[in-house]
Amino acid sequence: MLRKLEIFKEVAFDSSISNAAKRLHMSQPAVSVAIKELEEQYQCLLFHRVGKRLVITDKGSWLFQRTVELFDRMDMMEQRLKEEPEFQKLRVGVSMSVGNTIFPSLVKEVVSRVPTLDIYAQIESSQNIEDKLIKNVVDIGILEGVSQDPRLISHVAFTDRFVLVVPIDYDHEEISLKQLSSLKFLAREKGSGTRELVDAVLSANGVRLHVQWESHSVEAIIQGIIHHLGVCILPYALVKNQIELNQVKTCRIRGLSIERVVTLAYHRDKDMQDIVSVFLKSLKSHENFT
């Protein structure tokens, strides 16, 4: 239909089949057939045949105006589509520790590198993010630790160090593992990367914690520490601001050091190499934050 209207527009422009045929690089009979088919389709005359001349009819004149408007709009649409950048939506799953610290500045840096990126984020436990990567609910995940699932590909972004966080007026600068086991402990929820790592390291060192709280909210845990309800082992990045504000402080654990890697993961069946490379560069630039 559009092709026939284009032919009609060229013929109506100067009421000449021969001129239209030249502009369209068509034969004159082919142009005549297209006009005849349009007239049959609309059941009206578009041109009067006066000898060898064509004279456009009232309906033909009306159709010519509408056809010109139609093709002008199509040209505008094509130009607009070429001018407007195509935004790529990216679904990112982010661990709690990264989501509560560097993620906003990370997004800003990534978007500055790829302006057409539209990032949708979900901040939750690493375990949930892994599940969503496998189910294609998110495209990439920033995880605490390395995923052991063979369906996922992981790249190390940076190393995260952990500290024992205690009330600001806590008496000791350093405690033993035995002393740690006697303290009331405010823990992250089971399934979080932080909880799994802390439990594994302390269990390997024969420490059994007295867990007073379990919470997915880091802020709730920090407030609990401020109000002398217990202590917690957390990534330094999560409590950096509160330490600088003298709301809480850190205490060394004699003979114990806890570190873990933060990784960028995606499903091995998805082609994510280019965008993963951008995220890794941006993540590595935040390594000193920890």
Side-chain angles (χ1 to χ4, degrees), residues 128-265:
N128 286 346
I129 294 169
E130 283 195 43
D131 290 340
K132 290 185 176 183
L133 283 169
I134 293 165
K135 295 174 182 176
N136 194 33
V137 177
V138 297
D139 301 307
I140 63 174
I142 303 175
L143 306 176
E144 300 162 357
V146 180
S147 171
Q148 301 302 312
D149 195 299
R151 291 168 289 185
L152 301 181
I153 296 175
S154 298
H155 297 276
V156 174
F158 58 82
T159 300
D160 206 6
R161 67 185 178 94
F162 282 62
V163 293
L164 175 63
V165 187
V166 298
I168 192 66
D169 56 356
Y170 188 67
D171 292 338
H172 304 286
E173 297 297 323
E174 181 179 273
I175 62 172
S176 66
L177 290 172
K178 184 177 181 180
Q179 287 173 300
L180 177 64
S181 63
S182 67
L183 298 176
K184 292 180 179 180
F185 203 79
L186 312 182
R188 282 286 305 277
E189 79 284 6
K190 292 179 180 178
S192 78
T194 294
R195 176 67 179 273
E196 289 181 354
L197 176 63
V198 171
D199 283 354
V201 171
L202 294 182
S203 177
N205 284 271
V207 177
R208 188 171 183 177
L209 292 174
H210 174 47
V211 177
Q212 190 78 11
W213 275 17
E214 286 186 348
S215 175
H216 71 276
S217 169
V218 175
E219 180 59 32
I221 291 174
I222 293 173
Q223 287 299 316
I225 297 170
I226 291 173
H227 289 85
H228 298 80
L229 298 178
V231 302
C232 186
I233 297 176
L234 290 169
Y236 174 74
L238 282 179
V239 291
K240 182 174 182 285
N241 289 339
Q242 287 80 4
I243 291 171
E244 292 175 350
L245 292 171
N246 290 320
Q247 294 177 335
V248 295
K249 69 178 184 179
T250 63
C251 177
R252 295 186 301 276
I253 304 172
R254 194 175 307 123
L256 186 68
S257 176
I258 303 178
E259 292 185 340
R260 60 123 182 255
V261 292
V262 171
T263 59
L264 198 64

